[in-house]
Amino acid sequence: KFDEDMMKLSETRPVWPTPDAMAKMGVKEALCMIKDMDFGLKDTLAYFTAEEVAAGFKKTIAFQPRVVKQNRGSAGEGIWIVRLKSGEYCNNFGDREASDDEMLVL
């Protein structure tokens, strides 16, 4: 519904970015592409397979709370903030990985 409304609004006035422009840009992947630049966040990852989740998520969640977004849509649906229940994060990205017995909170 949000995307449809934004597209209708874009017919009468400038709207940036429109949902179709965001889909073409691959916004989520773009954040990963800039992660190593001065203004990027090195702990930004995209997961497309279970193996990628297993390799990356435990390391990132041990560092700080995560924003997890499904790979479709832009209307705020399918977005979760995930935190360690203990609140005990490492000081530097990569210092540790979360263990399987650490509780997560959505």
Side-chain angles (χ1 to χ4, degrees):
K1 177 83 174 124
F2 175 81
D3 287 352
E4 291 173 22
D5 290 344
M6 289 301 288
M7 290 303 294
K8 286 179 186 172
L9 185 62
S10 72
E11 294 171 5
T12 61
R13 61 184 53 101
V15 174
W16 180 257
T18 58
D20 60 338
M22 289 189 337
K24 291 174 189 169
M25 289 189 299
V27 175
K28 293 169 205 74
E29 292 86 356
L31 292 173
C32 293
M33 290 179 201
I34 65 167
K35 71 179 188 168
D36 296 319
M37 295 180 178
D38 291 343
F39 51 86
L41 299 172
K42 62 184 173 184
D43 61 324
T44 301
L45 301 174
Y47 309 116
F48 297 100
T49 66
E51 293 79 18
E52 289 172 335
V53 174
F57 187 75
K58 289 180 182 182
K59 188 174 168 182
T60 60
I61 192 64
F63 177 53
Q64 62 185 3
R66 310 309 308 163
V67 175
V68 178
K69 171 89 170 79
Q70 63 189 9
N71 196 28
R72 64 175 180 80
S74 59
E77 299 170 351
I79 298 175
W80 300 272
I81 297 176
V82 184
R83 295 179 173 84
L84 291 176
K85 185 173 183 179
S86 70
E88 297 176 10
Y89 298 97
C90 61
N91 291 327
N92 302 296
F93 177 59
D95 280 355
R96 76 175 192 94
E97 289 187 0
S99 64
D100 288 339
D101 63 349
E102 288 187 78
M103 185 71 67
L104 303 178
V105 177
L106 297 178

